[in-house]
Amino acid sequence: MSFSPLVDRLLEALRVLPGVGPRTAQRMALHLLERERDGGRRLVEVLGTALEQVGYCQRCRTLTEEPTCTLCRSARRDGALLCIVESPADMLAIEDAGGYHGHYFVLHGHLSPLDGIGPDDIGLALLDARLDEGGVEEVILATNPTVEGEATAHYIAEQIRERGLRLSRLAYGVPMGGELEYVDGGTLSRAFNGRLPFQGD
Amino acid sequence: MSFSPLVDRLLEALRVLPGVGPRTAQRMALHLLERERDGGRRLVEVLGTALEQVGYCQRCRTLTEEPTCTLCRSARRDGALLCIVESPADMLAIEDAGGYHGHYFVLHGHLSPLDGIGPDDIGLALLDARLDEGGVEEVILATNPTVEGEATAHYIAEQIRERGLRLSRLAYGVPMGGELEYVDGGTLSRAFNGRLPFQGD
């Protein structure tokens, strides 16, 4: 764009959004300025407020604008289950899948000594305090199935093992609905090693 | 999302962007809140300013925050050529293509009597005033090759015919680099009717 310095700055600013390149930024800017000024003003207001007010839940560290999130305050969740995830996005994916009705704890990352990310940075002191309260019977270590996620899960398991809680990890195996041909080797050999008795109906 | 009413409102507000559905809105919101708060604040500031200050250029009606756009003020453009387009996006596409160095006039839409969009709504009074100034020798009617775009081009041509200016329309034909097999019938028959003598090298 070259006819307005301010519109040029808007194109640049929109590039902060994930997956938005020059063409998409241009389409978004023109859409907002030509047809959606009201919606644009609403976005400015809500995004500004969210950036100012949204912080971490004091109990589970997920994103919320209140001291504790609505999920932590819900009386309908099972207080005996605590699922540890790396990010709010993982938490949302599990919620969307349905079936889990316990609580969460969000690390906002994983241990990464080379990047200077240690136990304090992923909130393990708060996790300890949380477990000190009692009530939790099982901790589900749902970090990502990556080297860093595995290492983080093992570290946490080590830290809380003495509490005598049930510790679990998500099952590994071939994803549902896929074709074996396209499953990577690491996953396939995990699925072989963890094979289960066939249950014909 | 269900753990924060404010984050829910942010997801809703992001949906105003073109091509952004629920999944993308979630990815954008978490990206801004988890990793890009500074970039998010810059977006809030620039978008807010743009929505407040960007209006139409007084000469060509493109988007600008100043009385006239940088292109209208440029001494390097050819004042004898005026290209009429439906939107700033069309103008940008022509600029990106390169090769045209005249001025523009932006209609911000096309005539659509059923929707109550008449000559005043597409700035034809300003176009008249612009042509009254003199200097323009050729008007290029670059409205979209749609029924509404064609009708608008014909209406404008009728209105300014008595001025004795050269009037032109973009060439119709098969697009460069495509395969004939995939060109629609209307375009193909246009290209046949407008066929040109073959020029061997």
Side-chain angles (χ1 to χ4, degrees):
Chain A
M1 217 110 37
S2 63
F3 48 74
S4 152
L6 183 50
V7 176
D8 284 347
R9 279 178 57 213
L10 177 56
L11 295 188
E12 199 51 44
L14 283 165
R15 301 280 301 276
V16 76
L17 298 171
V20 174
R23 302 285 310 174
T24 310
Q26 180 179 307
R27 199 157 60 93
M28 287 177 166
L30 294 177
H31 180 78
L32 291 172
L33 291 169
E34 289 275 281
R35 280 183 294 277
E36 270 291 4
R37 296 219 174 198
D38 283 347
R41 285 190 201 96
R42 201 159 50 242
L43 177 57
V44 165
E45 188 253 312
V46 176
L47 178 56
T49 309
L51 289 168
E52 201 177 293
Q53 298 184 358
V54 171
Y56 292 173
C57 170
Q58 291 172 359
R59 274 178 68 78
C60 77
R61 302 222 316 160
T62 196
L63 295 168
T64 179
E65 71 276 23
E66 287 164 343
T68 52
C69 72
T70 52
L71 207 142
C72 277
R73 282 178 284 137
S74 167
R76 287 185 302 187
R77 307 294 296 205
D78 184 349
L81 297 174
L82 187 69
C83 177
I84 299 183
V85 292
E86 292 190 27
S87 73
D90 298 336
M91 174 176 165
L92 287 172
I94 296 171
E95 284 296 292
D96 284 351
Y100 176 71
H101 297 291
H103 285 266
Y104 292 91
F105 188 85
V106 180
L107 302 175
H108 292 282
H110 46 244
L111 291 176
S112 182
L114 287 179
D115 301 315
I117 299 173
D120 286 350
D121 303 302
I122 59 173
L124 295 193
L126 183 63
L127 177 62
D128 261 333
R130 172 72 184 275
L131 294 175
D132 284 342
E133 288 177 21
V136 174
E137 293 166 18
E138 176 175 353
V139 172
I140 302 159
L141 296 158
T143 50
N144 288 330
T146 58
V147 174
E148 298 86 356
E150 298 281 340
T152 304
H154 279 104
Y155 182 89
I156 296 173
E158 213 48 58
Q159 298 295 304
I160 64 180
R161 196 176 295 281
E162 65 203 18
R163 292 178 183 271
L165 302 169
R166 218 163 36 246
L167 281 177
S168 59
R169 188 96 178 89
L170 295 185
Y172 293 107
V174 295
M176 301 299 294
E179 297 183 44
L180 284 192
E181 183 179 350
Y182 301 111
V183 174
D184 68 289
T187 302
L188 262 185
S189 54
R190 279 271 197 174
F192 260 91
N193 293 336
R195 65 189 180 276
L196 304 165
F198 183 73
Q199 302 189 307
D201 55 330
Chain B
M1 220 114 28
S2 64
F3 48 73
S4 152
L6 183 50
V7 176
D8 284 348
R9 281 177 57 213
L10 177 56
L11 295 188
E12 198 52 44
L14 282 165
R15 301 279 302 275
V16 75
L17 297 171
V20 174
R23 301 284 313 172
T24 309
Q26 180 179 306
R27 199 156 60 92
M28 287 176 168
L30 293 178
H31 180 78
L32 291 173
L33 291 170
E34 289 274 282
R35 277 183 296 277
E36 269 290 6
R37 296 219 174 196
D38 283 345
R41 285 190 201 98
R42 203 161 47 241
L43 177 57
V44 164
E45 188 252 310
V46 176
L47 178 56
T49 310
L51 289 168
E52 200 178 291
Q53 298 184 358
V54 172
Y56 291 174
C57 170
Q58 291 173 1
R59 274 178 69 78
C60 77
R61 302 222 315 159
T62 197
L63 296 167
T64 179
E65 70 275 24
E66 287 165 343
T68 51
C69 72
T70 52
L71 206 143
C72 276
R73 281 179 283 136
S74 167
R76 287 185 302 186
R77 307 294 298 205
D78 183 350
L81 297 174
L82 187 68
C83 177
I84 300 182
V85 293
E86 291 189 28
S87 73
D90 298 335
M91 175 175 163
L92 288 172
I94 296 171
E95 283 296 292
D96 284 351
Y100 176 70
H101 297 291
H103 285 267
Y104 292 91
F105 188 85
V106 181
L107 302 175
H108 291 282
H110 47 244
L111 291 175
S112 183
L114 288 178
D115 301 315
I117 298 172
D120 286 350
D121 302 300
I122 58 173
L124 296 194
L126 183 62
L127 177 62
D128 260 334
R130 173 73 184 273
L131 295 175
D132 283 343
E133 288 177 19
V136 174
E137 293 167 19
E138 176 174 353
V139 171
I140 301 159
L141 296 157
T143 51
N144 288 330
T146 59
V147 173
E148 298 85 355
E150 298 280 339
T152 304
H154 279 104
Y155 182 90
I156 295 173
E158 212 48 58
Q159 297 294 304
I160 65 179
R161 195 176 297 281
E162 65 202 16
R163 292 178 182 270
L165 303 168
R166 219 165 32 247
L167 280 177
S168 59
R169 189 96 177 87
L170 295 185
Y172 293 107
V174 294
M176 300 300 293
E179 297 185 43
L180 283 191
E181 182 179 351
Y182 301 110
V183 174
D184 69 290
T187 301
L188 263 187
S189 54
R190 278 272 198 174
F192 260 92
N193 292 336
R195 65 190 181 277
L196 305 165
F198 183 72
Q199 301 189 310
D201 64 326

